[in-house]
Amino acid sequence: MKKLLAIILLFTILLPMQVHAGSASMRIQLEGKNQNLAPVDVQVNGFTLRSKFRPYIHENRTFVPIRELTELMGANVDWHQETHSVSIAMADREVMLRVDSPVVYVNGQQQTVDWDSIPRLAIYRDQKGESKTMVPLRFLSESLGFQVDWNQAKKVATISNGAVSIVEEKEPAALEQPQETTQAEVQPPKRDPRYDGKFVVVVDAGHGGKDVGAVAIDDTHEADLNLEVAQLLKPLLEARGYVVIMTRSSDTTTGLRSRPELANEVGADVFMSIHFNSAGSEKANGIEVLYASEEDVEHKGPNEYRLAKEVLNELIKATGANNRGIKNRPDLVVLNSTEMDAALVELGFLSNEEDLEQIQSPGYLKLMAQAIDRGIANYKAKFVD
């Protein structure tokens, strides 16, 4: 019976997904041959995968961009140009794959996948010839352990890893099932009269109290670091004349939804959430900034990305850390439920020995607080004033 179920699941994984109604075919080069392929939709952990490198159907198999898909699931992805290989770290699994190779390493152990499941390099002719590493859905289940389901009635396939792993706020149901917002419900934030004429920033020190967040290899708690950076950031912003409101000012347990609710109640201009990262692999390192795209959350706008970009630019200039980029995370409550421009900074990996040594060096947390302060000021000068 188990063997029969496995065969049925494998068959469903190979089924193509629903093609966009009225979508034109895409010009893609595979193995030196130009082809016109049909674009498809992909649902990842309840959200539509959005990328200029659209998934497509080739030889009755659906191929997806590995970086965008795994990052939306909370993975850390590194591309190695010299070997045309990709490292993916998430939760307790690290996978290394190479374009056009059936050999895959999972947690250092060599495995071999079928030839019809190997990663391929696709050249998108409509994207100025840019190339992208694409993998079939079957690869995702075989090597990364993702769940791939096919709804025959709706002609929709979904991909899930069962949880979102970057920011765990002890309310996983809220992360997995964000509130839906219709256009009729979207209202501009109401300004608390006390702050009329002021620029208001809500600084959110992630985790706290019973929720210690990530734990470093030397038992340092993320929640403590988050609070320290937030407390260093507050006077810097106030020196600019901004009103600063903290979601917590001590080691207290603060509800996940109460954080955006506080910002919405006062009608803040910016919401900045402070976090440090962790991964199943000790190799993952660097700084990244998360935001919620207007394509996924109706009441968001283009300034979400601009805020994230200004802050990340200043952080990388100040620290010289590995730049992990800006990532769209519409599944996170503090990003999808805030009515103002919001960003979440991941200031380094507590699971990486070099990052942790840097984080704990004298003056480094203040250096990052100063960078965040400058990033917010740059954002205000360019896009608000």
Side-chain angles (χ1 to χ4, degrees):
M1 183 64 179
K2 290 183 178 179
K3 185 175 181 180
L4 176 60
L5 290 174
I7 293 172
I8 293 172
L9 176 59
L10 179 58
F11 177 75
T12 61
I13 288 173
L14 297 179
L15 286 173
M17 290 182 292
Q18 182 180 20
V19 178
H20 281 281
S23 292
S25 61
M26 302 184 299
R27 297 183 301 155
I28 293 178
Q29 181 178 312
L30 296 170
E31 299 178 338
K33 297 179 181 179
N34 292 323
Q35 305 190 46
N36 292 323
L37 301 177
V40 297
D41 282 326
V42 176
Q43 294 289 317
V44 182
N45 282 342
F47 289 90
T48 299
L49 175 64
R50 299 186 184 277
S51 170
K52 65 179 181 179
F53 303 102
R54 293 277 300 282
Y56 57 80
I57 296 174
H58 177 60
E59 295 182 347
N60 206 36
R61 290 179 176 83
T62 299
F63 284 76
V64 295
I66 188 66
R67 175 183 286 277
E68 284 84 346
L69 187 144
T70 52
E71 285 186 347
L72 188 55
M73 287 179 154
N76 303 297
V77 184
D78 290 311
W79 167 255
H80 311 288
Q81 179 63 34
E82 65 281 1
T83 58
H84 274 205
S85 61
V86 179
S87 300
I88 304 168
M90 60 188 305
D92 59 350
R93 187 176 299 225
E94 181 180 14
V95 176
M96 178 171 285
L97 57 95
R98 181 176 294 178
V99 171
D100 293 332
S101 172
V103 177
V104 178
Y105 291 89
V106 180
N107 292 339
Q109 299 296 313
Q110 180 177 317
Q111 298 182 10
T112 303
V113 298
D114 293 340
W115 274 100
D116 59 4
S117 298
I118 67 173
R120 300 290 189 187
L121 192 66
I123 298 176
Y124 282 69
R125 290 300 183 190
D126 297 326
Q127 298 295 341
K128 299 181 180 180
E130 292 186 59
S131 60
K132 198 68 177 176
T133 302
M134 308 291 287
V135 296
L137 290 184
R138 180 174 174 179
F139 177 89
L140 301 177
S141 61
E142 289 184 348
S143 300
L144 293 169
F146 294 166
Q147 299 172 2
V148 181
D149 297 315
W150 175 258
N151 186 315
Q152 181 63 28
K154 296 182 178 180
K155 296 287 192 298
V156 172
T158 58
I159 305 171
S160 171
N161 60 347
V164 176
S165 60
I166 284 186
V167 183
E168 297 177 2
E169 293 277 13
K170 303 304 181 182
E171 291 185 32
L175 287 177
E176 294 168 9
Q177 311 220 356
Q179 292 179 325
E180 294 185 0
T181 308
T182 64
Q183 190 62 44
E185 294 171 333
V186 176
Q187 298 292 334
K190 295 180 180 179
R191 169 73 73 176
D192 186 314
R194 292 175 295 172
Y195 308 126
D196 283 344
K198 299 288 186 178
F199 188 75
V200 180
V201 180
V202 170
V203 176
D204 173 42
H207 307 284
K210 296 179 180 179
D211 178 10
V212 300
V215 179
I217 49 183
D218 68 347
D219 204 38
T220 297
H221 291 173
E222 178 197 355
D224 296 334
L225 294 172
N226 295 341
L227 181 59
E228 187 171 350
V229 173
Q231 290 174 329
L232 289 168
L233 177 59
K234 183 176 185 290
L236 297 174
L237 294 170
E238 289 176 333
R240 295 183 183 274
Y242 304 164
V243 172
V244 179
I245 299 172
M246 306 277 280
T247 58
R248 68 181 181 96
S249 299
S250 60
D251 187 24
T252 55
T253 302
T254 305
L256 177 61
R257 291 196 175 276
S258 66
R259 300 167 190 255
E261 287 173 357
L262 170 63
N264 294 341
E265 286 174 3
V266 301
D269 296 284
V270 164
F271 181 93
M272 182 60 57
S273 191
I274 310 296
H275 286 264
F276 286 79
N277 224 329
S278 183
S281 167
E282 296 179 358
K283 297 179 181 178
N285 68 97
I287 293 174
E288 61 194 26
V289 180
L290 316 180
Y291 79 111
S293 170
E294 69 270 24
E295 293 184 353
D296 297 302
V297 182
E298 289 188 18
H299 61 269
K300 294 295 184 176
N303 278 357
E304 304 287 330
Y305 180 87
R306 293 164 179 164
L307 171 63
K309 183 178 181 180
E310 293 297 332
V311 171
L312 180 62
N313 285 347
E314 290 298 329
L315 281 167
I316 299 304
K317 283 195 295 184
T319 65
N322 176 35
N323 185 348
R324 298 182 58 83
I326 301 167
K327 298 180 180 179
N328 178 26
R329 290 300 303 273
D331 51 310
L332 301 181
V333 171
V334 294
L335 298 179
N336 67 38
S337 296
T338 41
E339 296 172 356
M340 68 296 303
D341 295 331
L344 185 153
V345 293
E346 294 279 9
L347 299 175
F349 281 77
L350 303 185
S351 51
N352 178 272
E353 187 173 343
E354 292 182 1
D355 270 14
L356 182 60
E357 182 179 356
Q358 188 81 306
I359 289 166
Q360 294 179 333
S361 63
Y364 190 73
L365 296 186
K366 184 176 182 180
L367 189 71
M368 290 195 290
Q370 291 170 336
I372 297 170
D373 166 62
R374 289 194 299 272
I376 293 174
N378 292 345
Y379 156 80
K380 180 178 182 293
K382 292 180 181 179
F383 307 110
V384 179
D385 291 344

